[in-house]
Amino acid sequence: MKPLDRREFLTRVATGTSALAAVRMPGMLGGGTPEGAAPPGRGAPLGAGAASGVAPGDVRTGLAEPAFRPLPLGSVRARGWLERQLHIQARGLTGHLDEFWPDVAQSQWFGGDAEGWERAPYWLDGAIPLAWILDDDALKKKVGARVEEILSRQKADGTYGPMAAAPAGKPYDVWAIFLVNKALVQHHEATGDEHTLCAVQASLKSLQASVARTPLFNWGKYRWFEGLVPTYYVYERTGERWLLDLARTLRAQGQDYPAVYAGREIREPTPRRGLWTWDKHGVNQAMAPKLGALSWRLGQRPADRAFPAHMLEILDRWHGQATGMFAADECLAGKDPVQGTELCAVVEMMYSMEVLLSVFGDPAFGDRLERVAFNALPATLKPDCWAHQYDQQVNQVQCTINPDYMWSTNGADANIYGLAPEYGCCTSNLHQGWPKLTAHLWMKTPDEGIAAVAYAPSEASFRSGDVPVTVRLDTDYPFRETLSITVTPERAATFPLVLRVPAWAEGATVRVANGAPAGMRPGTFHRVERAWTGPTTVTVRLPMHADVGRRYHGAFTVERGPLVYGLRMEEEWKRVRADAPHRELPHGDFEVRPASAWNYGLLLDPEHPEAGLSFEERPVGDVPFSPEGSGMQARARGRRLPEWKLAHGWAAEVGPGPQSSDTPVEDVVLIPYGCTNLRVAELPEAKG
Ligand SMILES: [Zn+2]
């Protein structure tokens, strides 16, 4: 079947001869308009049926209400260091990947002949929110044109992209369809472009037909819950009950993660040069916590609510890393701090936490989100966002093309900073990290209030009832512990301001205007409920206390607030594979070697290790997550461990117990993990 052009597509929709018209049958609309009565081209509301026939409350019947609702894309804007970070990203790979990287530039999704599976949709999944959060006209234009290219190739049966081109009779893995629709609903949310929503709706209808013929397998089976994101989005705007049937079908056909997590196999590290498996694939594990939230909305099963915390507990216990992530290079790999975590897993874990925060309103998911976002995410991106790693290591003392690698399933270049080290998934998927964090910092409460569920400098606009309100957060958090929130309603209004109090924030306080500070309980959401008139400043203090943990083989980790600290190292960067195309752009592949000693152990009193640390504020730099720009640093006493050397090109494993050394005691400087490119963040205990 040849692709429809746009005019033909809209004509078919308008005359009731397209797949889209079929999905708008009155029975499916739950009491909507007659078939074809409301052509849903640009400017004509797709939801006409829903809007005229279904009351807003009814549209949501069938899905449990989330604890908090994310604000429409573009309602939350970045400020301060976060705005600088987003601009760095837009000037880096995200803003330019489509100009030179064939797998996006000439993607089959856009009519080219390069990769035609997940890469272009991954890029859009991050470039769309980045463009609209920054309100960057040039980026919006280029992203919008790419969306248009996908929509213009949609067939009358609702398929698009590679699914439309798949050979007849050959089973098609629908993972990329989940993904592209997840990206496209963001485009609809940001622009209100009804044609985008129509296209997703028609695609979901074709998906329903596809899974009836060929049940989910491979990626689609293991990522079934990602398909629920666009399905719910369309359902909440149309009320079409078949979408809930589709959600139930995907769940029924999808992988049963609770069964996997009830077994013992998930606890075992993948053997070296070992077995790549679907069940232990790291990115799958990072995506899967959200299935509890998405499945719970369908039927409010208590087991769904309980599963995400259980899953995270198992991952932490058997594979957990200091960053809030787990080792997976790229399958689950135990607790050794050199074993590595894939970048895709980092950004997917963040998005999972954002969904969980929204649906369940549990502040622990906010704590986890910040831990991953402020540590694991920035550490694995080159500070200028022109290169990234595939695998980051908590103890990462050099990043080289290393044929002697000890990854479980990855290869020699998996930890260099490059354009597409190891494999190109992270190149295309890294973009969603910062923008989606920004979009989810503030969420609407069910009682017309606003919740700060994660903290970074930002501003949000929303309506409390019919009163427009802005909330602005000025802060250098996570490098500082004071947050200044200004609430400005357009006219007097009463609503709650809900504040997440991290579990680590003992002694947290909130002060409204010039009132007395009030205590807040860590690990809860604190409500400030009042009649707001004019701009009101709410000052939040989240005291950050030094905290020293013990991890693999008893090594120390230094934490303070949401930040983990690692040894500050001097670095030597070297461009490799210099014959890469498009050398005029700053992308490339880089090896990084240590230019200072890294083999330190810490001298800390095991009874009171925190007493041996001091912290010092520094200006937060123009590049906030870089060694030079780090807004905090810590000092401790330590000594070098001459026996601790490289093994297989990495920091060797250190056995349990205090390590002997007769080297002089030195001052050891630690900086936030997210600001490092090389680091040691699990430091052995040195003998006194
Ligand atoms: Zn990846």
Side-chain angles (χ1 to χ4, degrees), residues 122 283 330 342-345 390 423-427 429:
Y122 264 147
V283 183
E330 62 192 44
E342 183 187 336
L343 169 50
C344 280
Y390 193 83
Y423 189 68
C425 54
C426 303
T427 312
N429 193 13

Side-chain angles (χ1 to χ4, degrees), residues 375-660:
N375 297 287
L377 174 66
T380 201
L381 301 171
K382 188 163 174 273
D384 66 3
C385 288
W386 272 103
H388 70 278
Q389 297 176 289
Y390 193 83
D391 288 320
Q392 67 176 293
Q393 298 157 297
V394 167
N395 283 358
Q396 177 172 290
V397 302
Q398 67 177 14
C399 303
T400 57
I401 297 171
N402 172 22
D404 194 21
Y405 62 88
M406 294 292 280
W407 306 116
S408 66
T409 64
N410 291 154
D413 69 351
N415 82 345
I416 67 164
Y417 289 83
L419 173 61
E422 174 68 24
Y423 189 68
C425 54
C426 303
T427 312
S428 46
N429 193 13
L430 65 89
H431 315 281
Q432 65 169 312
W434 286 119
K436 286 193 188 170
L437 173 73
T438 310
H440 291 92
L441 292 170
W442 298 88
M443 297 188 192
K444 186 93 184 279
T445 69
D447 49 359
E448 297 296 313
I450 190 78
V453 302
Y455 296 112
S458 55
E459 180 169 313
S461 308
F462 71 102
R463 294 180 86 86
S464 176
D466 59 355
V467 180
V469 182
T470 60
V471 281
R472 193 184 76 218
L473 169 56
D474 294 302
T475 185
D476 272 335
Y477 183 94
F479 304 105
R480 301 289 186 273
E481 54 191 25
T482 302
L483 303 96
S484 176
I485 298 171
T486 307
V487 181
T488 309
E490 206 169 276
R491 53 184 189 278
T494 299
F495 59 85
L497 168 68
V498 176
L499 304 165
R500 181 183 125 261
V501 189
W504 46 259
E506 285 296 335
T509 58
V510 58
R511 191 164 69 105
V512 180
N514 295 319
M520 300 194 292
R521 197 151 63 85
T524 65
F525 277 103
H526 182 92
R527 288 169 68 91
V528 178
E529 192 137 19
R530 73 195 304 266
W532 306 90
T533 52
T536 306
T537 301
V538 176
T539 307
V540 174
R541 200 167 155 267
L542 301 175
M544 296 181 182
H545 309 285
D547 188 17
V548 176
R550 294 275 200 172
R551 300 193 65 90
Y552 189 67
H553 287 181
F556 292 123
T557 51
V558 174
E559 301 164 22
R560 186 174 173 277
L563 297 181
V564 178
Y565 285 74
L567 179 74
R568 188 183 70 189
M569 293 172 59
E570 301 300 320
E571 308 158 353
E572 189 182 289
W573 287 70
K574 182 184 158 201
R575 191 166 188 162
V576 293
R577 298 171 178 161
D579 56 344
H582 301 283
R583 287 218 54 196
E584 70 281 7
L585 289 167
H587 76 78
D589 289 345
F590 302 88
E591 291 185 329
V592 194
R593 288 183 171 76
S596 60
W598 55 265
N599 53 349
Y600 284 92
L602 292 186
L603 286 160
L604 295 173
D605 174 358
E607 298 300 314
H608 305 284
E610 293 81 8
L613 294 163
S614 62
F615 290 84
E616 179 194 336
E617 292 183 356
R618 290 152 46 98
V620 179
D622 288 341
V623 183
F625 289 99
S626 62
E628 316 73 54
S630 69
M632 284 294 292
Q633 71 176 27
R635 278 175 198 278
R637 306 290 278 167
R639 55 170 36 128
R640 289 187 63 184
L641 307 175
E643 300 302 312
W644 191 18
K645 295 177 176 154
L646 291 178
H648 304 286
W650 297 349
E653 185 165 339
V654 179
Q659 304 296 306
S660 300

Side-chain angles (χ1 to χ4, degrees), residues 170-182:
K170 186 164 182 277
Y172 181 77
D173 182 343
V174 294
W175 150 238
I177 302 301
F178 299 164
L179 178 56
V180 79
N181 285 330
K182 197 157 63 96

Side-chain angles (χ1 to χ4, degrees), residues 42-66:
R42 230 173 271 276
L46 166 77
S52 61
V54 185
D58 295 337
V59 169
R60 293 176 182 175
T61 305
L63 281 183
E65 270 297 289

